[in-house]
Amino acid sequence: MSGAKKVLSAERTSLVALNFQAEPGLLKDWIPEGFQPDLHNGDCYVSLVAVSLRKVLGRGIPFPVCLGLGSIYLRVYICRETKDGILRGFRQVRSVVTSERGKWLLTPLFGNDLKVHKIKQTISGFDGKASETSPPSAEISWISGPDKHESRIKVTGRQRMKLGARNSKVSFILNHHWMFAENDGKTLVYEYRGAPAVIWDAGHVTMQGHMSDLVGDRLARVLGRKPASVFLVENGPVTVLGPFPPEAALQIRKAEEEKEKPVVQ
């Protein structure tokens, strides 16, 4: 991996993930050939993710710090089984960014599925100073629908999370750090790296308005359900490396797992 190319680096100022159970058949249009939905205890999940970035560097060009970059997207969890093991990751679909320049910057990573929409993100408490009496909170709002009403998502943290067992629902969602993208009919793999961060369980969640503006009518039905889980992630660095062919990514994952094994003396 020493020759891996850094295609994006940034400082994540906030991340909010709302996770929903979904029928695998709804996702078939976004699952690359040779892949399948990655299930947790037989259930399929998608995540609506709102993230804000600053100090963004992509295509070798710094994105203006004063502008920052906001994005909302649906994350679909998929996997590929081979004789050498299982490669798990996510496909980012129905992606919305807050500016034309952000679209230009991210299109090589996420393809032409990106669209631009004016989105306002108001965040507090993501700077490592939050407490259970003053937890982090985020509000994402946009003007939507033919009536031009304001739609919004508001999430307030409750307590810092302990991830617990590796096979827990939250761990399942967080452990997908390989990102799959389509380019000229080929599936490429990127490694999404982030430093260990403080994660908060949500205590209050409000979703109002037209979610179809973000994800389309079919997937908006999924977002109308009660979330299976909601969490907030405090700030930290983010790096995206790649692209790799799926076979190379699987070998990288296996090598990393070998490094993590305890040494027997």
Side-chain angles (χ1 to χ4, degrees):
M1 184 134 70
S2 58
K5 181 181 178 182
K6 183 187 295 185
V7 295
L8 181 75
S9 63
E11 180 181 333
R12 182 192 62 240
T13 52
S14 68
L15 184 146
V16 179
L18 299 95
N19 312 298
F20 300 85
Q21 192 171 334
E23 295 79 10
L26 285 175
L27 312 178
K28 60 182 180 180
D29 292 343
W30 298 285
I31 298 178
E33 184 177 354
F35 288 76
Q36 62 192 50
D38 195 14
L39 306 180
H40 176 64
N41 293 335
D43 294 324
C44 177
Y45 293 93
V46 299
S47 298
L48 183 66
V49 177
V51 62
S52 57
L53 305 172
R54 64 182 179 184
K55 299 182 181 178
V56 182
L57 179 64
R59 298 200 189 191
I61 301 172
F63 196 82
V65 175
C66 59
L67 295 180
L69 177 60
S71 176
I72 301 179
Y73 61 90
L74 200 69
R75 181 182 288 190
V76 177
Y77 300 99
I78 58 179
C79 65
R80 179 175 182 173
E81 297 187 26
T82 73
K83 61 181 178 60
D84 296 318
I86 301 177
L87 184 65
R88 291 184 162 90
F90 65 90
R91 175 88 187 272
Q92 183 168 315
V93 304
R94 297 299 189 188
S95 304
V96 177
V97 292
T98 52
S99 70
E100 289 289 348
R101 187 164 184 176
K103 179 178 179 179
W104 173 84
L105 189 74
L106 296 178
T107 293
L109 283 176
F110 306 122
N112 295 319
D113 193 32
L114 287 168
K115 64 178 181 178
V116 178
H117 202 81
K118 188 174 182 180
I119 300 168
K120 180 180 179 182
Q121 296 193 53
T122 304
I123 62 173
S124 67
F126 285 85
D127 55 2
K129 300 178 181 179
S131 65
E132 293 188 8
T133 57
S134 182
S137 65
E139 183 172 323
I140 303 101
S141 60
W142 63 98
I143 303 300
S144 63
D147 51 9
K148 301 298 181 182
H149 283 176
E150 187 176 61
S151 296
R152 70 178 62 246
I153 299 169
K154 187 173 183 179
V155 179
T156 303
R158 177 176 55 185
Q159 60 185 6
R160 291 181 177 88
M161 294 182 64
K162 296 180 180 179
L163 296 184
R166 290 178 62 88
N167 63 347
S168 69
K169 189 185 304 179
V170 174
S171 293
F172 168 81
I173 291 169
L174 291 174
N175 286 335
H176 286 76
H177 64 277
W178 292 97
M179 183 169 62
F180 303 103
E182 293 286 319
N183 192 337
D184 294 329
K186 296 181 179 180
T187 300
L188 299 176
V189 187
Y190 295 86
E191 185 175 14
Y192 184 97
R193 288 184 177 180
V198 176
I199 302 169
W200 288 76
D201 184 23
H204 179 77
V205 180
T206 301
M207 300 179 69
Q208 299 174 330
H210 300 274
M211 299 299 122
S212 57
D213 280 9
L214 300 179
V215 299
D217 293 335
R218 181 170 49 159
L219 294 173
R221 296 198 300 270
V222 174
L223 303 189
R225 302 168 181 170
K226 181 180 179 180
S229 66
V230 180
F231 55 83
L232 309 92
V233 183
E234 290 191 15
N235 60 2
V238 171
T239 302
V240 180
L241 303 173
F244 309 97
E247 296 76 13
L250 184 58
Q251 294 303 316
I252 292 169
R253 182 187 65 80
K254 290 176 67 175
E256 290 176 346
E257 288 178 348
E258 286 297 323
K259 289 181 180 179
E260 292 174 357
K261 286 183 178 180
V263 177
V264 178
Q265 298 181 347

